[in-house]
Amino acid sequence: DAGITQSPRHKVTETGTPVTLRCHQTENHRYMYWYRQDPGHGLRLIHYSYGVKDTDKGEVSDGYSVSRSKTEDFLLTLESATSSQTSVYFCAITASGAWNEQFFGPGTRLTVL
Amino acid sequence: AQSVAQPEDQVNVAEGNPLTVKCTYSVSGNPYLFWYVQYPNRGLQFLLKYITGDNLVKGSYGFEAEFNKSQTSFHLKKPSALVSDSALYFCAVPPRGGNNDMRFGAGTRLTVKP
């Protein structure tokens, strides 16, 4: 696997609590992404980053925020978790260019009760 | 908008038989098309990609994909399936004007039976 780690790998939380997921890469890639995976939907982009402090929304960004203070770290925050945010979250990285493949982390399984 | 569709949720094949996982695309301009595989409890792994050139693309683990412009398809194939090929397969396309992210199909679960 490419040098991508995600933490925590599993988390159970309650509705209304804040949650932060971390993605860490050692590849020095510029682009980082957060996706969520739900049955029947494939992967959907939540937010992405194209550089330190440069982030933007994806197609399912409501209820999520991100931060990237260092090249290697990309944080995803659920300000007030809801049951609809129960999902598996994947971080991905890529070098620049739409023709480059993405490399994925191992995922974080989040359950919101 | 760039998009891909995987018409089959599930594909079952016997070990040793050829396999095909289907993908159709809707893109403007020249497409970049990708296949990824996801094994249980793992992240997605890149299998192969079509950028330009030969319509038959060879990838990892003996997989190949055929780009067909007239049928707007990019089907994943393997001549002889292995039980270890059982996994979830995703077709993907980068959106035009996007930031190098991917738009994924819903996925096809491949089961290879001994």
Side-chain angles (χ1 to χ4, degrees), chain B residues 10-83:
Chain B
Q10 175 90 31
V11 171
N12 297 313
V13 299
E15 187 174 29
N17 284 359
L19 70 86
T20 298
V21 182
K22 296 179 180 178
C23 173
T24 58
Y25 65 87
S26 174
V27 303
S28 55
N30 294 322
Y32 298 157
L33 296 163
F34 295 74
W35 276 103
Y36 289 81
V37 59
Q38 184 180 30
Y39 297 104
N41 301 312
R42 301 286 297 275
L44 277 68
Q45 297 178 30
F46 168 76
L47 272 181
L48 53 80
K49 65 183 175 184
Y50 172 83
I51 303 297
T52 187
D54 291 340
N55 289 340
L56 188 64
V57 180
K58 294 189 182 299
S60 306
Y61 313 122
F63 283 93
E64 57 190 25
E66 185 175 9
F67 173 73
N68 188 315
K69 189 172 183 178
S70 64
Q71 297 185 6
T72 61
S73 67
F74 188 56
H75 300 334
L76 182 69
K77 300 181 179 183
K78 188 173 183 181
S80 179
L82 300 172
V83 173

Side-chain angles (χ1 to χ4, degrees), chain A residues 31 33 37 48 98-99 102, chain B residues 36 38 49 99-102:
Chain A
Y31 291 87
Y33 308 89
Q37 183 179 23
Y48 62 93
W99 52 89
Q102 295 192 347
Chain B
Y36 289 81
Q38 184 180 30
K49 65 183 175 184
N99 278 277
N100 307 320
D101 60 305
M102 290 281 174

Side-chain angles (χ1 to χ4, degrees), chain A:
Chain A
D1 292 341
I4 309 171
T5 56
Q6 292 184 232
S7 58
R9 294 292 313 280
H10 302 271
K11 186 170 182 66
V12 179
T13 190
E14 293 187 351
T15 298
T17 60
V19 176
T20 295
L21 309 182
R22 180 180 183 240
C23 176
H24 179 79
Q25 61 144 330
T26 58
E27 305 296 323
N28 201 36
H29 280 344
R30 176 183 175 189
Y31 291 87
M32 298 186 74
Y33 308 89
W34 277 108
Y35 293 93
R36 60 178 289 173
Q37 183 179 23
D38 304 290
H41 290 280
L43 276 76
R44 292 178 293 175
L45 183 67
I46 305 171
H47 282 279
Y48 62 93
S49 170
Y50 47 97
V52 173
K53 299 190 187 307
D54 291 325
T55 65
D56 208 344
K57 297 178 180 180
E59 60 179 309
V60 290
S61 60
D62 287 349
Y64 302 95
S65 62
V66 291
S67 65
R68 191 170 179 198
S69 59
K70 299 184 290 185
T71 298
E72 57 266 35
D73 289 326
F74 192 32
L75 304 180
L76 176 70
T77 297
L78 291 66
E79 301 290 348
S80 178
T82 67
S83 59
S84 64
Q85 294 176 311
T86 293
S87 187
V88 181
Y89 292 85
F90 287 99
C91 175
I93 64 174
T94 191
S96 62
W99 52 89
N100 283 312
E101 58 269 30
Q102 295 192 347
F103 299 97
F104 285 80
T108 295
R109 183 173 296 277
L110 175 67
T111 302
V112 183
L113 302 176

Side-chain angles (χ1 to χ4, degrees), chain B residues 86-110:
Chain B
S86 298
L88 196 53
Y89 291 82
F90 292 96
C91 183
V93 62
R96 182 165 293 278
N99 278 277
N100 307 320
D101 60 305
M102 290 281 174
R103 298 291 165 85
F104 291 87
T108 298
R109 184 164 301 281
L110 172 68

